[in-house]
Amino acid sequence: LFAALAWLQATRLPLWPLDHPAADLAGGILVGGGLLLMALALWELRRHRTTVIPHMEPDALVTSGIFARSRNPIYLGDALVLTGLILAWGGWPGLVLVPLFVWVITDRFIEPEEARLAARFGAGFDAWAARTRRWL
């Protein structure tokens, strides 16, 4: 939804479009980095044989690999991809969608997921949350 809104802004309401090779490069790096983060996270979740589906009950608390750096690398990857697409499309006013996206994801997905993890894994989750940041 947020990517569609950003695309609409960039193509239908191009306010001072940003058409510069540096924006394309930055956009590509962010999209690629976001996809890499998501792939690393999926790999680690599969390695521990637990679900990747947000609303399902996890079988394991994954704190290794990319999850040692971020508690939510898939959502972080989503935010990077969104930011990269906005830059690549030259629709820099759409960047206001990024903090809104982060807020929606945190409120709608991350907080309920972390509550389930805390209930299921107790002190293990608390220790991981204390040493690993939610986003970066």
Side-chain angles (χ1 to χ4, degrees):
L1 173 64
F2 285 88
L5 289 172
W7 180 82
L8 283 172
Q9 183 278 308
T11 59
R12 304 288 184 227
L13 299 168
L15 306 171
W16 307 290
L18 179 63
D19 187 19
H20 193 276
D24 290 339
L25 177 63
I29 289 170
L30 288 169
V31 169
L35 293 174
L36 178 61
L37 270 178
M38 288 186 261
L40 291 171
L42 292 172
W43 173 266
E44 199 67 19
L45 291 170
R46 288 294 180 203
R47 195 169 75 82
H48 287 274
R49 296 190 171 134
T50 192
T51 185
V52 299
I53 301 170
H55 295 296
M56 291 191 66
E57 192 70 27
D59 296 318
L61 179 65
V62 181
T63 62
S64 58
I66 194 66
F67 289 93
R69 301 277 182 223
S70 170
R71 293 196 319 256
N72 296 284
I74 294 173
Y75 298 133
L76 177 58
D78 290 337
L80 291 174
V81 168
L82 176 61
T83 305
L85 290 173
I86 291 168
L87 291 176
W89 291 332
W92 67 269
L95 290 172
V96 301
L97 294 171
V98 176
L100 181 61
F101 172 79
V102 168
W103 176 76
V104 168
I105 290 298
T106 300
D107 185 64
R108 177 81 170 89
F109 293 96
I110 293 174
E111 289 175 355
E113 285 177 33
E114 289 187 347
R116 281 192 301 280
L117 289 171
R120 173 107 190 224
F121 300 106
F125 173 80
D126 293 338
W128 177 53
R131 71 176 181 271
T132 307
R133 301 185 91 176
R134 180 176 275 167
W135 285 93
L136 289 174

